[in-house]
Amino acid sequence: MFWGPLVGTLALTLLIGHLTKRRFRRLALLPLGLLLIPLVEGIHEWRAGGLFRELVPLLWGMIGGAIFLGWLAGWKFCRGKERVP
């Protein structure tokens, strides 16, 4: 459940980094927009209430963390390639 968002964001960030090279560096921030999905869903589940009112937003928070870690790893890999002469 958490590997999908992590690997998907990593692949998307690497693809954007590879296609843009040194131009349009700000496009590498585009996958961070995917963090809006867990944020909105977590708020929605919190307001909906129910039996697992506290646990479901925590699950969405962990998915958001996986998305962020995938982006961070992809960003580090893209920046590492630029430093090599």
Side-chain angles (χ1 to χ4, degrees), residues 5 8-9 27 32-34 47 68 84:
T9 309
L27 282 178
L32 284 179
L34 293 173
R47 289 187 177 192
F68 180 73
V84 176

Side-chain angles (χ1 to χ4, degrees), residues 20-35:
T20 59
K21 304 270 185 202
R22 293 182 182 204
R23 303 176 315 236
F24 309 115
R25 288 186 183 193
R26 297 198 182 210
L27 282 178
L29 298 174
L30 188 64
L32 284 179
L34 293 173
L35 287 172

